[in-house]
Amino acid sequence: MAKRVYFFGNGKADGTAQMKDLLGGKGANLAEMTNLGLPVPPGITITTEVCKEYFQLGQKFPEGLWEEILEGMKKIEEVVGKKFGDRKMPLLVAVRSGAPVSMPGMMDTILNLGLNDESVEGLAESTGNERFAWDSYRRFIQMFGNVVMGIPHEKFEEILEAKKEEVGAKADIDLTAEDFKDIVKKYKEMVKRETGQEFPQDPYKQLEMAVRAVFDSWNNPRAIRYREINKIPEDYGTAVNVVAMVFGNMGNTSGTGVAFTRNPSTGENEFYGEYLKNAQGEDVVAGIRTPQPLRKSQKTDESQVSLEEEFPEVYKELERIRDILEKHYRDMQDIEFTIENGKLYMLQTRTGKRTARAAVKIAVDLVKEGLITKEEAIMRIDPSLINQLLHPMIDEEDKKRAIAEGRLITKGLPAAPGAVSGKVVFSADEAVEMKEKGEKVILVRHETSPEDIHGMHAAEGILTARGGMTSHAAVVARGMGKTCIVGAETITVDYDKQEFRVGDIVVKKGDIITIDGSTGEIFHGEIKTIPANISGEFEELMKWADEIRDLKVRVNADTPEDALQGRKFGAEGIGLCRTEHMFFNEDRIPVVREMILAKTKEEREKALEKLLPMQRSDFKAIFEVMDGLPVNIRLLDPPLHEFLPKTEEEFEKTAKEMGLPVEEIKKRAEELHEVNPMLGLRGSRLGIAYPEIYEMQARAIIEAACECKKEGIDVKPEIMLPLIADDRELAELKRMIDRVAAEVFVETGVEVPYQVGTMIEIPRAALIADQLARDAEYFSFGTNDLTQMTFGLSRDDAGKFIGKYVEKGILKGDPFMHIDENGVGQLIKIAIEKGNKTRPGIKTGVCGEHGGDPRSINFFQQVGIQYVSPSPFRVPIARLAAAQAKIRLSNK
């Protein structure tokens, strides 16, 4: 039978850090720290395999498991020298979850387990600290009652708050032993009322119930939602860690804290963290009290007392351990520690959650420090997190004006960067509701809890009145890439009145505020933001990525502004320039409508003559920006009805502008109406039906290119024909483009090299790619439409039910977000293979949004795509993902 319970203690452990899948992250790292000789309390880890078996057996313990747990408990007793369930000197334990992937705060923990009405007296006597014993007992009843017995946390808090009010205590720390005795009595009465049963007094029964509860917490709503958001597989399961308690709440020589071996917000190589004197670990992460800084240099005001000052010897030991752990794990660590009567204990280490900015800086610094290679640094950055680095920043001039106008409300701790504005909401559910209505919101809470996960995901940013840089809000927001400010202590949140106050300032639900997660500042109203720049370590990392990757990255850009943004972000050309977007400009749309409403070819050509100089200037402006880089221009793609009026008011306005009766315009709109316009008269079919439209566009492109060449600009135009389904329609349209180009070369006396290619966006086009390659000089896969047509799904409507398909496991993911490798991917492979048979080395690219999706880029690398082309802000993501794809391929 496979080993199910792993022991660690006294400098030796059954497990190692490599066993995360089996022991969970927490258990594996507790074992590793034990083997490194660090001060870790002894304990046992029940494996993730047991969790899976537990659910398979209908939430029952596998046969023989309980006996193995009891055997492990005996080993803990031997190391500690105390007995579990003993009345005089009881061994107490913490029962904690630990999944293979970090899920901070999502699953359950129970501390001080093993206490009952008798052993609490023994604990008080053996430690000579009655207050500590009863504080531990009330904490245990509160956690066990909530986690195991299902009593809402608030019901315990109400009793605690009432007692504080009764005795005039500001915080839990001000309560006495007698106060805690009364609280315990009231807690037990409430447990009986709520559950109909007494609070369990048998420590072994407590342990069994707690282990079950931790397994069950794998499937609690917040854990399920967290896994959905972070794409964590359902079948991982959680391990359970039963660890001998060490007490940070024993008085002023004790405490607890969380630290990062580097700054998790900026990535600076500085020990960074917080601690609370006379407290247990949950007090820090739950944000119940605002903690004190780890180091003197971290202090923000003189009233603070750092760990370095309060416990200098402990701090030195912690610094030594920091150095050992970072060198051993070769990455920034997030550590939890407890000080019991001046002695330091390590409770956890894990790879620390960090902002994208910090992730990049840490990766680059670790390369320079010789701890990791450039390839490892690149593989450590999640490309999707790069969005954080491209977060807008506060416009400093507008900020100065806001401060002068008195709109700076207050400051908190800058937990996660970026600047965002939104309407204030006070509950997670409201955040989701408002998001669904298209509103941007800032979620404001006393402190967030794991139950708020869905609202945090929906919000633009998060603001809390309590908590520190390692609180739940800070850690989860950083992981999500959400702007976040915590510990804004001058704020008083009133959920009943749906408002928060800072002195005389009142901010109500629905009011707009701006939060700056880089400075911690909170403003009334909206403040302008400016785009971020690629510089410093990020620029260095991207250079390394560019050295490694062979997949080119272009940009989808329809305006000079988009083209410039793409180029700033490192784009190597334009992979898709949609000409129809230019037609929607206010000065163009009347002319476009004139062309569409024309009754004869002559009338249509007259309107197109007006559009020609407009299009030419569009293309010239883009060529100027992309000097020296290829520009792939797609000729008109959408059906013509999209340019016609939709409302009665628009019909009347258009009729007046054109001097035509309203009825005539409506009639033409009806004539152009199609049952399924996405499969109708659009794309190259327009070029066949109305060749003068494509002739005008081809002329505008070539004339603009010739003008640019005269001015010394290096132009590389590519003309792309959309929605091609047959080699004969491609041949006819290419002949037309070549004829127009030849005419322009004669007229201008200038020649420019150009290419004509096609989009592969219809399954038939992929299947006859060898025939298309006779005329097409390149293929660009329009994966949005190719997915739509392969699946028979409308990309505009599929969102209504795709989620269900993913949830049920029918689809691995939304095929419009991640390329469907089994279907759409096979069509791409077929097209590349067939295209290369006719035209060896034919250029191939992807211009759908899949071009900015790391998972899809990995597939494109494997099948030999030569470039991808996403929207401007996804260009850096694509550059990094392309380097990672190359590294993965090289390591196979």
Side-chain angles (χ1 to χ4, degrees):
M1 188 190 292
K3 190 176 176 67
R4 295 188 290 201
V5 177
Y6 284 67
F7 175 74
F8 55 88
N10 241 3
K12 288 182 184 173
D14 297 340
T16 68
Q18 280 67 52
M19 298 168 75
K20 280 185 183 174
D21 288 350
L22 185 67
L23 303 180
K26 192 176 277 126
N29 287 328
L30 283 168
E32 190 77 2
M33 285 197 292
T34 302
N35 287 330
L36 285 170
L38 301 183
V40 177
I44 56 171
T45 301
I46 307 162
T47 69
T48 57
E49 291 300 318
V50 175
C51 180
K52 294 172 198 173
E53 210 178 332
Y54 171 79
F55 283 113
Q56 285 162 8
L57 294 169
Q59 291 170 284
K60 289 179 183 168
F61 279 177
E63 195 179 331
L65 175 68
W66 184 243
E67 289 69 26
E68 289 178 56
I69 292 171
L70 294 181
E71 202 178 306
M73 291 296 289
K74 280 179 189 160
K75 290 181 182 176
I76 300 174
E77 289 173 343
E78 283 167 23
V79 176
V80 177
K82 295 177 184 175
K83 285 192 79 65
F84 187 63
D86 187 71
R87 293 179 184 182
K88 292 184 178 176
M89 284 188 68
L91 165 67
L92 304 186
V93 293
V95 182
R96 309 177 80 186
S97 61
V101 176
S102 177
M103 293 171 59
M106 294 303 121
M107 289 176 298
D108 292 325
T109 293
I110 300 111
L111 302 181
N112 309 311
L113 188 139
L115 277 173
N116 59 25
D117 293 349
E118 291 179 339
S119 61
V120 68
E121 301 284 4
L123 184 65
E125 204 172 312
S126 64
T127 59
N129 191 335
E130 191 180 32
R131 185 197 176 279
F132 149 71
W134 285 95
D135 177 32
S136 299
Y137 195 22
R138 71 90 189 172
R139 288 170 182 272
F140 170 51
I141 295 172
Q142 188 164 340
M143 293 179 94
F144 192 93
N146 173 233
V147 170
V148 182
M149 305 180 86
I151 301 166
H153 175 72
E154 296 75 32
K155 291 192 181 286
F156 293 101
E157 283 296 314
E158 282 165 17
I159 293 169
L160 187 64
E161 290 302 316
K163 175 53 76 174
K164 284 198 281 192
E165 201 171 319
E166 180 194 320
V167 300
K170 279 189 177 178
D172 306 1
I173 202 167
D174 302 320
L175 295 169
T176 65
E178 292 307 312
D179 294 331
F180 285 131
K181 284 178 185 177
D182 189 41
I183 288 167
V184 164
K185 180 171 169 283
K186 286 174 177 161
Y187 275 3
K188 283 159 61 186
E189 286 167 358
M190 189 264 288
V191 167
K192 179 78 188 288
R193 238 183 1 258
E194 290 290 319
T195 66
Q197 53 188 307
E198 300 288 347
F199 187 81
Q201 293 292 304
D202 178 357
Y204 287 97
K205 182 67 180 168
Q206 293 171 0
L207 180 61
E208 185 204 337
M209 290 171 75
V211 171
R212 287 180 186 280
V214 172
F215 280 148
D216 290 338
S217 73
W218 176 252
N219 282 330
N220 71 35
R222 65 178 185 257
I224 290 168
R225 184 71 184 117
Y226 189 88
R227 290 199 293 274
E228 282 171 5
I229 292 167
N230 293 282
K231 311 258 183 314
I232 297 169
E234 288 291 316
D235 60 359
Y236 273 9
T238 182
V240 178
N241 300 285
V242 181
V243 187
M245 279 296 300
V246 285
F247 301 98
N249 60 326
M250 269 192 158
N252 289 332
T253 58
S254 303
T256 186
V258 177
F260 295 85
T261 56
R262 299 187 186 218
N263 188 311
S265 194
T266 66
E268 292 296 331
N269 189 0
E270 58 180 12
F271 203 12
Y272 190 90
E274 297 161 328
Y275 83 105
L276 274 174
K277 200 160 66 166
N278 196 9
Q280 288 195 333
E282 290 301 301
D283 298 346
V284 180
V285 294
I288 290 163
R289 280 157 58 197
T290 298
Q292 297 292 308
L294 195 70
R295 291 162 44 246
K296 281 188 279 192
S297 58
Q298 219 185 300
K299 287 162 67 167
T300 51
D301 72 62
E302 280 310 304
S303 67
Q304 293 177 325
V305 182
S306 68
L307 182 80
E308 190 178 1
E309 294 163 305
E310 185 76 22
F311 298 101
E313 292 307 311
V314 168
Y315 178 76
K316 275 184 200 163
E317 172 72 353
L318 205 55
E319 275 272 21
R320 184 185 73 83
I321 290 169
R322 168 212 184 195
D323 198 45
I324 290 168
L325 288 175
E326 197 168 86
K327 284 194 169 78
H328 183 75
Y329 284 97
R330 299 160 63 244
D331 203 352
M332 185 261 270
Q333 294 296 292
D334 167 0
I335 61 179
E336 289 180 20
F337 61 90
T338 282
I339 307 156
E340 180 182 288
N341 288 328
K343 180 168 169 49
L344 177 68
Y345 292 93
M346 301 302 298
L347 304 184
Q348 177 167 301
T349 190
R350 61 185 171 194
T351 300
K353 299 259 181 218
R354 62 203 81 180
T355 62
R357 178 183 164 200
V360 169
K361 178 163 178 52
I362 289 167
V364 171
D365 285 351
L366 289 174
V367 171
K368 291 176 178 175
E369 290 165 28
L371 286 175
I372 62 173
T373 64
K374 287 180 182 179
E375 286 78 7
E376 283 177 300
I378 284 164
M379 293 307 289
R380 282 189 181 182
I381 308 299
D382 179 352
S384 61
L385 285 181
I386 295 301
N387 268 329
Q388 281 188 40
L389 285 178
L390 310 177
H391 272 319
M393 298 180 292
I394 288 276
D395 181 303
E396 286 301 317
E397 290 306 309
D398 203 35
K399 175 176 162 178
K400 281 178 193 168
R401 279 191 289 275
I403 292 170
E405 291 163 8
R407 286 165 51 204
L408 177 60
I409 299 170
T410 188
K411 275 185 84 169
L413 302 173
V420 291
S421 302
K423 290 184 176 178
V424 168
V425 294
F426 293 95
S427 83
D429 290 343
E430 282 175 333
V432 173
E433 282 168 29
M434 298 279 274
K435 165 95 172 179
E436 285 169 356
K437 291 175 186 170
E439 300 272 17
K440 292 183 175 181
V441 300
I442 308 289
L443 178 62
V444 180
R445 304 284 291 159
H446 290 307
E447 71 269 339
T448 61
S449 73
E451 278 76 17
D452 294 322
I453 185 78
H454 57 303
M456 295 173 77
H457 186 56
E460 297 296 305
I462 297 125
L463 167 62
T464 71
R466 300 178 194 156
M469 296 285 276
T470 54
S471 64
H472 175 267
V475 172
V476 174
R478 277 197 288 272
M480 284 182 171
K482 296 283 180 183
T483 297
C484 180
I485 295 174
V486 297
E489 291 196 308
T490 54
I491 285 177
T492 305
V493 179
D494 190 326
Y495 294 139
D496 292 333
K497 289 184 179 175
Q498 293 282 281
E499 65 183 32
F500 74 79
R501 289 175 175 271
V502 179
D504 296 332
I505 300 167
V506 180
V507 179
K508 294 186 174 294
K509 176 186 167 182
D511 289 354
I512 291 174
I513 61 169
T514 298
I515 62 173
D516 185 348
S518 303
T519 64
E521 292 167 316
I522 302 142
F523 296 89
H524 252 310
E526 193 165 341
I527 298 197
K528 283 183 199 163
T529 55
I530 53 170
N533 280 320
I534 293 179
S535 60
E537 283 88 5
F538 186 30
E539 191 173 22
E540 198 161 357
L541 185 85
M542 296 311 286
K543 278 180 186 166
W544 296 346
D546 293 341
E547 286 165 13
I548 290 167
R549 70 182 167 90
D550 47 28
L551 190 67
K552 299 285 184 193
V553 179
R554 296 194 188 186
V555 64
N556 293 346
D558 313 324
T559 65
E561 293 76 23
D562 280 352
L564 186 60
Q565 188 67 69
R567 192 155 192 174
K568 276 183 185 171
F569 284 154
E572 298 159 295
I574 290 178
L576 176 63
C577 175
R578 308 170 186 88
T579 54
E580 63 272 6
H581 285 195
M582 302 164 178
F583 285 4
F584 284 105
N585 286 0
E586 241 176 83
D587 59 334
R588 316 276 176 91
I589 198 77
V591 187
V592 175
R593 285 172 177 169
E594 185 184 325
M595 181 263 291
I596 293 167
L597 295 166
K599 294 188 181 96
T600 64
K601 184 182 175 184
E602 288 71 29
E603 284 179 5
R604 199 158 33 254
E605 284 174 339
K606 195 176 169 187
L608 287 166
E609 275 174 32
K610 294 180 193 174
L611 280 173
L612 175 64
M614 296 176 182
Q615 284 263 276
R616 186 171 56 230
S617 68
D618 290 333
F619 299 135
K620 190 178 177 202
I622 288 170
F623 287 145
E624 285 168 352
V625 170
M626 301 307 287
D627 185 5
L629 298 175
V631 177
N632 185 19
I633 300 167
R634 182 179 74 185
L635 300 187
L636 193 64
D637 182 46
L640 296 178
H641 78 91
E642 284 195 14
F643 299 98
L644 291 178
K646 309 280 187 298
T647 66
E648 196 63 42
E649 192 183 334
E650 285 176 348
F651 273 117
E652 285 173 13
K653 187 184 173 196
T654 304
K656 195 175 177 183
E657 283 170 353
M658 300 188 68
L660 292 170
V662 172
E663 291 313 311
E664 190 174 321
I665 296 172
K666 282 185 177 177
K667 187 180 175 218
R668 180 63 174 143
E670 277 171 34
E671 286 169 5
L672 286 170
H673 175 76
E674 295 175 294
V675 174
N676 191 341
M678 293 313 289
L679 300 179
L681 183 56
R682 57 168 283 223
S684 290
R685 295 158 199 172
L686 283 169
I688 298 289
Y690 304 109
E692 53 274 16
I693 296 175
Y694 274 18
E695 279 186 31
M696 178 278 288
Q697 290 195 298
R699 176 170 283 276
I701 292 166
I702 301 297
E703 285 181 355
C706 290
E707 278 186 31
C708 284
K709 188 173 179 183
K710 280 182 185 175
E711 293 169 17
I713 295 161
D714 182 11
V715 283
K716 295 178 179 176
E718 299 169 347
I719 301 173
M720 183 160 67
L721 294 162
L723 214 78
I724 288 287
D726 193 271
D727 60 317
R728 286 160 296 190
E729 81 189 316
L730 174 61
E732 183 169 329
L733 291 169
K734 184 175 187 297
R735 277 195 299 273
M736 179 269 290
I737 291 166
D738 289 343
R739 174 178 54 77
V740 169
E743 288 169 10
V744 174
F745 294 160
V746 170
E747 291 162 17
T748 60
V750 176
E751 286 195 23
V752 291
Y754 68 94
Q755 290 185 325
V756 177
T758 182
M759 286 190 93
I760 305 281
E761 50 191 329
I762 295 175
R764 188 175 193 273
L767 298 172
I768 61 160
D770 49 344
Q771 296 164 42
L772 297 180
R774 288 196 292 262
D775 287 299
E777 293 167 275
Y778 64 90
F779 291 157
S780 178
F781 292 92
T783 54
N784 299 343
D785 264 353
L786 189 58
T787 299
Q788 181 167 245
M789 295 198 194
T790 304
F791 271 95
L793 287 173
S794 164
R795 58 179 165 167
D796 298 317
D797 301 320
K800 293 171 188 171
F801 58 85
I802 279 288
K804 272 277 179 231
Y805 273 63
V806 175
E807 194 182 302
K808 288 178 178 290
I810 297 168
L811 292 175
K812 285 183 181 173
D814 183 339
F816 292 106
M817 286 175 64
H818 311 297
I819 201 77
D820 159 48
E821 295 181 20
N822 290 335
V824 178
Q826 295 313 301
L827 287 169
I828 291 171
K829 278 178 81 173
I830 289 166
I832 293 171
E833 285 162 13
K834 288 196 164 201
N836 272 294
K837 278 178 188 167
T838 304
R839 190 184 289 266
I842 187 169
K843 185 165 62 186
T844 56
V846 169
C847 62
E849 272 306 293
H850 291 105
D853 169 53
R855 207 159 97 187
S856 304
I857 287 170
N858 205 52
F859 173 76
F860 299 145
Q861 170 80 41
Q862 289 169 28
V863 297
I865 290 284
Q866 290 164 23
Y867 72 83
V868 292
S869 185
S871 52
F873 279 82
R874 297 188 87 184
V875 166
I877 296 172
R879 287 166 64 195
L880 182 62
Q884 291 180 343
K886 178 66 186 293
I887 292 166
R888 279 190 205 100
L889 199 62
S890 303
N891 289 342
K892 274 190 175 179

